[in-house]
Amino acid sequence: MLHVTDIRDHKEEYIKALTKRNFDASEVFENVLSLDEKRRSTQASLDNTLAESNKLSKEIGMLYKNGETQKANILKERTGKLKEESKNLQEVLTTTVEELEQLLYTIPNIPQDTVPAGKSEDDNEEVFRKGAIPVLAAGSLPHWELAKKYDIIDFELGNKITGAGFPVYKGKGSRLQRALINYFLDKNTAAGYTEYQVPHLVNEASGFGTGQLPDKEGQMYHVGVDDLYLIPTAEVPVTNMFRDSLLDEKDLPITCTGYTPCFRREAGSYGAHVRGLNRLHQFDKVEIVRLEKAEDSDAALDGMVEHVKTILDELKLPYRILRLCGGDLGFTSTLTYDFEVFSTAQDRWLEISSVSNFKTFQANRLKLRYKDKDGNKQLTHTLNGSALALPRVLAGILENYQTEDGINIPEVLVPYCGFDKI
């Protein structure tokens, strides 16, 4: 979330920047500053009340010691009133702080200057494209029909077990899925990312820490009895490993990768574009997360983009990179690049990765700081990206690599699969 001091110091600048998100911050900023003023004045009154109470307590002790009981009793009446007053002030302060925090949770991150204005994904800016779109033979099939033809993914069986959006991978389909996971992890660890295996359920504090709560609460699966949430991305548990941490500058950057299944309700998603692997409630994803000093995070984001490009270059899939506009930018992000592969059989682009810089937005919620060389405490910058999300990569491979006599396996994956054709 944004820091109140930053809102106060950059109010007009932030209001203008948030218009890129089609978010009018004028009224909410006024409410934030009003609540913060109330918080500060209440805190000052409480401090003064407690200070006076402590001073009188010392005086009362001296009066009793000197035998001046009557004077001491008079002052005791005053301290009783001060205790009641401080109790009331503390209640007001607690309520005000909670109201202020809840209001701050509703304000999205400030877009960077390079974020284009726009209302939807139609206004995203293409910044890079690579790979020739293959020309498929007549009668080529979309991936859901290929999956059925070669018996590698069973959507109906998943529907029977759980419901729509929970596919069952079979035989070579399952082995190809596992091969992709191992390949992505190997690429990430070779690039210096430390691999972690993390829980697939998180508590409420973790959801708030990385910004999924309260913004995406309706899209998360909630286990009510235990008050836990199934993770929508490995970003949540991996980043929260460092919640409430004070790092040392020499420890940065910290780079992490991890594979997890991901769970998203995808409420409101209907139509032909959600067929097959295009949109699922459970899917596999390999994530990369970085913790950086402020001056290094922009370069780190560029480095993450280049890293994802190397993976797609080796898979030899046609892809493009989009800089997201303000209207399509995620709530917590200040700048995001989306990667999309071209689905030849569907004749459309499919998103397979988002690489984002959150700057201090998550760290402020997480209370994630580092001590610089001068001993000052600074908020850490956090970044994350998919490297990669599997379903649409798999869809792209099945469709773009199909031939009249089967589906070829990208050369880089053959050692992981143990076969070169489905």
Side-chain angles (χ1 to χ4, degrees), residues 133-147:
I133 295 173
V135 178
L136 300 180
S140 296
L141 303 173
H143 69 268
W144 54 86
E145 293 186 23
L146 291 167

Side-chain angles (χ1 to χ4, degrees), residues 166-181:
F166 295 88
V168 173
Y169 299 85
K170 303 169 62 178
K172 287 186 174 181
S174 182
R175 289 168 65 186
L176 178 55
Q177 182 87 342
R178 177 158 49 94
L180 282 165
I181 293 168

Side-chain angles (χ1 to χ4, degrees), residues 156-358:
E156 289 75 19
L157 187 56
N159 193 29
K160 172 186 175 181
I161 297 168
T162 308
F166 295 88
V168 173
Y169 299 85
K170 303 169 62 178
K172 287 186 174 181
S174 182
R175 289 168 65 186
L176 178 55
Q177 182 87 342
R178 177 158 49 94
L180 282 165
I181 293 168
N182 289 335
Y183 164 64
F184 293 155
L185 286 172
D186 284 352
K187 284 290 292 183
N188 296 344
T189 54
Y193 291 88
T194 300
E195 182 179 348
Y196 290 87
Q197 289 189 6
V198 290
H200 303 161
L201 290 154
V202 294
N203 55 30
E204 187 179 63
S206 294
F208 273 96
T210 44
Q212 280 70 31
L213 296 176
D215 180 58
K216 294 290 188 297
E217 185 169 11
Q219 295 292 351
M220 295 175 71
Y221 286 100
H222 183 222
V223 183
V225 174
D226 301 296
D227 196 21
L228 296 173
Y229 293 85
L230 276 71
I231 60 170
T233 167
E235 168 202 347
V236 182
V238 171
T239 311
N240 271 278
M241 293 191 300
F242 305 96
R243 175 159 42 96
D244 298 320
S245 294
L246 179 59
L247 309 171
D248 196 284
E249 182 176 0
K250 64 179 175 55
D251 298 326
L252 298 174
I254 292 175
T255 58
C256 314
T257 187
Y259 152 70
T260 65
C262 303
F263 305 88
R264 300 182 185 179
R265 294 184 62 243
E266 296 289 1
S269 297
Y270 307 100
H273 67 287
V274 303
R275 290 194 66 179
L277 298 173
N278 287 351
R279 187 152 301 189
L280 301 175
H281 295 305
Q282 177 181 328
F283 61 95
D284 292 323
K285 183 154 68 83
V286 176
E287 197 80 359
I288 51 176
V289 171
R290 298 184 70 97
L291 309 184
E292 297 277 355
K293 294 184 291 184
E295 59 267 30
D296 296 334
S297 70
D298 287 338
L301 181 67
D302 293 339
M304 293 168 75
V305 169
E306 291 302 315
H307 174 66
V308 175
K309 284 166 68 175
T310 65
I311 296 176
L312 289 167
D313 288 342
E314 289 187 358
L315 289 174
K316 297 180 180 177
L317 289 170
Y319 69 96
R320 68 177 183 176
I321 304 174
L322 305 176
R323 184 187 288 120
L324 297 195
C325 72
D328 199 31
L329 194 64
F331 183 85
T332 55
S333 175
T334 182
L335 176 62
T336 293
Y337 292 100
D338 269 9
F339 283 75
E340 297 181 338
V341 296
F342 192 76
S343 164
T344 309
Q346 298 179 70
D347 193 30
R348 60 190 296 258
W349 293 96
L350 303 175
E351 180 197 333
I352 54 161
S353 174
S354 289
V355 182
S356 303
N357 190 348
F358 308 106

